[in-house]
Amino acid sequence: MFASKFLFALAAVATTVSAAALDVTAPPITSPKAGDHWIVGSVQTVTWEVPTASVGQNGIIFLGYVEDGSLNEHLDVGECHSHTLYHPLAQGFPIAAGAVNVTVPVVVPRDNYIIALLGDTGNISPKFTIAN
């Protein structure tokens, strides 16, 4: 079961998915891997397995984190004055590319960050660390 913010973010990007896409894809994220360390300000490559049905589909990547015992992915999606604010690490890239570079934002150091890859469905990476 996905947390409500994940589903909300997924619904928000549904318009970026080609209307012609009939197959549902949830490409497994291959990088970052569990235990990887990213440094704030560095450029990192997020990679995933390319599904055969991904032609014409665009994606969006959010940074989040998970806490033990919680289903909330704490994706970088929020609200301010009744407006939804999105802070994706990357957006509008073709899912068929299998990779996209992102710049690691200034965040609180943690060892439970995740990447959420959204296209016509979503998938999250294993936990990894971001440090200063």
Side-chain angles (χ1 to χ4, degrees), residues 63-82:
L63 180 64
Y65 63 92
V66 292
E67 296 173 323
D68 289 338
S70 174
L71 296 176
N72 188 343
E73 287 94 7
H74 299 282
L75 300 181
D76 196 2
V77 176
E79 290 187 30
C80 180
H81 306 293
S82 302

Side-chain angles (χ1 to χ4, degrees), residues 2-13:
F2 292 106
S4 60
K5 280 189 180 182
F6 187 76
L7 290 175
F8 182 74
L10 180 59
V13 299

Side-chain angles (χ1 to χ4, degrees), residues 31-108:
S31 179
K33 294 179 176 78
D36 279 0
H37 283 47
W38 288 6
I39 302 297
V40 168
S42 66
V43 174
Q44 301 291 328
T45 303
V46 176
T47 61
W48 56 91
E49 291 180 17
V50 177
T52 57
S54 64
V55 175
Q57 295 179 4
N58 290 327
I60 188 167
I61 290 180
F62 287 101
L63 180 64
Y65 63 92
V66 292
E67 296 173 323
D68 289 338
S70 174
L71 296 176
N72 188 343
E73 287 94 7
H74 299 282
L75 300 181
D76 196 2
V77 176
E79 290 187 30
C80 180
H81 306 293
S82 302
H83 293 81
T84 302
L85 304 174
Y86 303 102
H87 301 108
L89 294 181
Q91 63 184 345
F93 55 87
I95 295 289
V100 67
N101 289 334
V102 299
T103 300
V104 181
V106 176
V107 292
V108 174

